[in-house]
Amino acid sequence: MDTVFDYIEPFEDFLTLLRNNKVSVNDVKYFAAYREYLHRRFVEKDLYYNCIEELSEKFGLKPGTFRTKIKLFSSRFKK
């Protein structure tokens, strides 16, 4: 029978990279908001604070948390 370990063990190196970069598997819940942020910010040329305010409200996020996730997702990946 397959266990959780059987599924995640092949990804040990990748999971270690995520941990070292302070990315949690729970961060997946911010992906839709971040994708929309990127579109609005860089395609529609909307202002940073407008994006934060409107998307935080739309996705039910605290603005400070959303800003933190934007900073995390925009940072360079460290090996």
Side-chain angles (χ1 to χ4, degrees):
M1 180 169 359
D2 292 330
T3 65
V4 170
F5 181 77
D6 293 330
Y7 283 98
I8 65 172
E9 193 270 333
F11 302 102
E12 179 179 8
D13 292 339
F14 180 68
L15 293 170
T16 300
L17 284 173
L18 291 178
R19 184 192 67 219
N20 291 345
N21 285 277
K22 300 179 181 148
V23 177
S24 166
V25 293
N26 293 325
D27 287 342
V28 71
K29 64 186 169 191
Y30 301 104
F31 285 7
Y34 185 69
R35 276 190 208 99
E36 190 163 334
Y37 163 79
L38 291 175
H39 177 78
R40 289 188 53 185
R41 186 80 173 99
F42 300 107
V43 175
E44 296 178 10
K45 306 292 187 197
D46 201 356
L47 297 174
Y48 174 79
Y49 289 106
N50 288 346
C51 292
I52 298 296
E53 183 179 317
E54 293 169 14
L55 293 175
S56 293
E57 186 173 326
K58 177 179 178 178
F59 288 94
L61 305 170
K62 294 180 181 177
T65 301
F66 190 39
R67 282 193 306 268
T68 299
K69 295 305 173 182
I70 288 171
K71 183 178 178 182
L72 173 66
F73 293 161
S74 300
S75 66
R76 292 280 184 186
F77 207 71
K78 301 171 195 153
K79 293 184 180 188

